[in-house]
Amino acid sequence: PPPLPRDMATPARDGEAATGTTIMACCFDGGVVMGADSRVSTGTYIANRVSDKVAALHDSIFMCRSGSAADTQAISDYVRYYLAAHTTEVGRAPTVKTAATLARRIAYENKDQLLAGIIVGGWDAVQGGSVYVVPLGGTMMQMPFAIGGSGSTYIYGHVDAQFKEGMSRQEAQNFVKKSIAHAMARDGSSGGIIRLVTIDANGTEREYIPGDELPYGP
Amino acid sequence: TVGDIKYRDGVMLAADTLCSYGTLAMFKDAKRLTTVGDNTLVGAGGEYSDFQKIQHMLEDITGDDRNYDDGYNHSPSEIYHYLRAVMYQRRNKMNPLWNNLLIGGFKDGEAFLGSVDMIGTAFTDDFLATGFGAHLALPILRKRWQPDMEEGEARELLEDCLRVLFYRDCRALNKVQVAKATAEGTIVSDPYTISTNWSSASFMQNAGNLQGDGGW
């Protein structure tokens, strides 16, 4: 019989670091806000309490990582490389959809070996701000906002109640910060600080919210 | 984790107020420290329902002491030995109370500190910690504990241990309780929040940049 699917809290190998995690991305009028907590755990030990789970794939395209830290770092390295090569060939900035498709190809073709939940978001000249989620099996879905990681289960109600279309930049930032803070308050595998990346036509802006200044909790 | 130390006036215990359900932080104001009469404190890690059962058993003992009214109350050492017997007997029946207990107290000028785990292992020492604290707090206590510390020093030491645990234990919280047993009796504080540092320069650096190595 086929092996039972592994759940996200169980690492692939003993002692492997997993980003327990809460990740989130949300479109606003003119761009995208991406956010993540900063806890990396090995079992119940916090290996890194201030990690950066929002990885840059290109100037205006970022990727939130959840699942196995090793797998997602490797995937982001590959996508970064392929995207750079593609950009050189095509001669103009890549689209978010392209970056997401590259991530999806890797996640899908290696689905038996990988434990990676990814959210790709950014700004391009074709669609403006967009968010694509690539969960465990290698599906790819474009969404107005996306949440992922173990902490996301605790905030589905919250985000469903609080999300609205056509938010402003500030509203989207507050929405992401508050949602992640709520998830960090209840998920043992999420915590630490919140790193926020806001991407629009003019570039990217990074924000750091310390663990004692969260909008809610811990 | 529960941590405790002997200090100048007696004994001090500390624990956070989190009760988890797997990875879910279900109850964030759970009381894990309890008094037993005027002399003894018991703190527990592990299964909360089993700790509540132990609390009932200890309340019975305290009640008996009160009703006998013969001027004699159980000492911390006796509570410790009683709990050891209970835990070991349950272990023998292959149905343990799934707790790691710390017993501290002060009676007749003597401070007492002991630990009993779910299989009945029991020992005493000047400072103890359970759970993750055994790995993270004990080294700190070994380095910084002195006999006859002032109450303020003792409390700061325990808070520093709990702070490290909040940084490095997935199942920890920054809301804590402290309890002490002295010649004046036993008292458990209300839960309060301990300060944490998230603002070192190296923390704020973003590792996910394009030029980065894809690392943390």
Side-chain angles (χ1 to χ4, degrees), chain A residues 39-41 44-52 55-56 59 73 154 185-186 188 192-193 195 206 208 211-212 218, chain B residues 23-26 28 132 167-171 173-174 196-198 203-210 212 214-216:
Chain A
R39 179 170 292 186
V40 178
S41 44
T44 46
Y45 177 68
I46 300 172
N48 188 348
R49 63 180 174 112
V50 286
S51 73
D52 187 359
D59 296 329
Q73 282 174 15
Y154 302 104
R186 287 292 182 178
I193 56 116
R195 287 197 206 263
R206 275 207 183 246
Y208 177 96
D212 47 0
Chain B
T23 58
L24 167 63
M26 195 178 244
K28 308 221 280 195
F132 242 76
Y167 288 152
R168 293 296 178 178
D169 180 6
C170 286
R171 314 277 179 262
L173 195 61
N174 60 344
T196 50
N197 173 42
W198 300 94
F203 296 168
M204 300 175 80
Q205 269 176 26
N206 296 305
N209 296 328
L210 270 184
W216 291 120

Side-chain angles (χ1 to χ4, degrees), chain A residues 53-138:
Chain A
K53 302 183 189 178
V54 189
L57 300 177
H58 200 78
D59 296 329
S60 293
I61 307 176
F62 280 72
M63 165 178 138
C64 290
R65 309 185 285 110
S66 77
S68 154
D71 287 350
T72 54
Q73 282 174 15
I75 292 173
S76 79
D77 283 348
Y78 273 113
V79 175
R80 198 178 286 163
Y81 166 71
Y82 287 131
L83 206 55
H86 170 83
T87 305
T88 309
E89 283 178 33
V90 169
R92 61 171 183 271
T95 60
V96 182
K97 188 170 183 181
T98 306
T101 307
L102 285 165
R104 177 186 66 84
R105 288 292 305 275
I106 297 172
Y108 180 74
E109 304 296 341
N110 298 290
K111 64 160 76 185
D112 293 336
Q113 264 117 313
L114 292 174
L115 198 68
I118 290 165
I119 300 178
V120 178
W123 186 93
D124 60 50
V126 176
Q127 283 194 80
S130 52
V131 168
Y132 291 84
V133 61
V134 180
L136 247 47

Side-chain angles (χ1 to χ4, degrees), chain A residues 131-155:
Chain A
V131 168
Y132 291 84
V133 61
V134 180
L136 247 47
T139 319
M140 184 173 102
M141 295 276 278
Q142 183 177 9
M143 310 179 60
F145 75 93
I147 53 177
S150 58
S152 66
T153 54
Y154 302 104
I155 52 171

Side-chain angles (χ1 to χ4, degrees), chain B residues 105-117:
Chain B
F106 192 86
K107 188 170 193 236
D108 300 331
E110 289 265 341
F112 177 87
L113 202 49
S115 160
V116 181
D117 74 7

Side-chain angles (χ1 to χ4, degrees), chain B:
Chain B
T1 301
V2 187
D4 61 7
I5 57 179
K6 286 185 188 170
Y7 70 107
R8 197 186 57 183
D9 305 330
V11 154
M12 192 177 283
L13 268 73
D16 67 15
T17 58
L18 177 64
C19 188
S20 299
Y21 186 73
T23 58
L24 167 63
M26 195 178 244
F27 302 113
K28 308 221 280 195
D29 53 6
K31 310 293 194 298
R32 305 202 285 121
L33 303 175
T34 189
T35 59
V36 187
D38 288 326
N39 306 313
T40 314
L41 298 165
V42 174
E47 172 60 41
Y48 200 68
S49 62
D50 286 345
F51 176 55
Q52 287 181 324
K53 168 105 200 261
I54 289 169
Q55 277 181 294
H56 287 144
M57 296 164 82
L58 294 172
E59 273 162 26
D60 283 347
I61 293 181
T62 317
D64 286 345
D65 278 349
R66 238 196 328 269
N67 292 336
Y68 273 117
D69 198 21
D70 57 2
Y72 179 80
N73 294 325
H74 282 79
S75 71
S77 175
E78 283 164 341
I79 300 292
Y80 161 80
H81 283 103
Y82 169 75
L83 287 172
R84 185 215 65 81
V86 166
M87 300 300 265
Y88 187 62
Q89 281 172 23
R90 291 289 300 252
R91 168 262 191 203
N92 287 340
K93 296 196 287 190
M94 291 298 287
N95 181 206
L97 290 166
W98 208 282
N99 292 116
N100 214 322
L101 302 168
L102 285 183
I103 300 100
F106 192 86
K107 188 170 193 236
D108 300 331
E110 289 265 341
F112 177 87
L113 202 49
S115 160
V116 181
D117 74 7
M118 62 187 261
I119 55 173
T121 318
F123 50 89
T124 60
D125 206 340
D126 294 326
F127 52 85
L128 293 165
T130 65
F132 242 76
H135 297 103
L136 294 179
L138 280 180
I140 300 173
L141 292 170
R142 283 174 193 142
K143 187 165 176 188
R144 283 169 56 184
W145 183 85
Q146 307 277 349
D148 296 328
M149 290 170 80
E150 301 262 337
E151 180 178 314
E153 288 179 286
R155 183 166 164 170
E156 195 189 343
L157 180 54
L158 283 173
E159 280 182 8
D160 285 346
C161 290
L162 290 175
R163 183 173 300 111
V164 168
L165 285 158
F166 176 65
Y167 288 152
R168 293 296 178 178
D169 180 6
C170 286
R171 314 277 179 262
L173 195 61
N174 60 344
K175 211 158 143 221
V176 306
Q177 270 185 309
V178 178
K180 65 175 184 178
T182 61
E184 279 95 56
T186 54
I187 184 165
V188 181
S189 78
D190 288 332
Y192 62 96
T193 308
I194 51 174
S195 64
T196 50
N197 173 42
W198 300 94
S199 303
S200 287
S202 62
F203 296 168
M204 300 175 80
Q205 269 176 26
N206 296 305
N209 296 328
L210 270 184
Q211 308 80 8
D213 59 358
W216 291 120

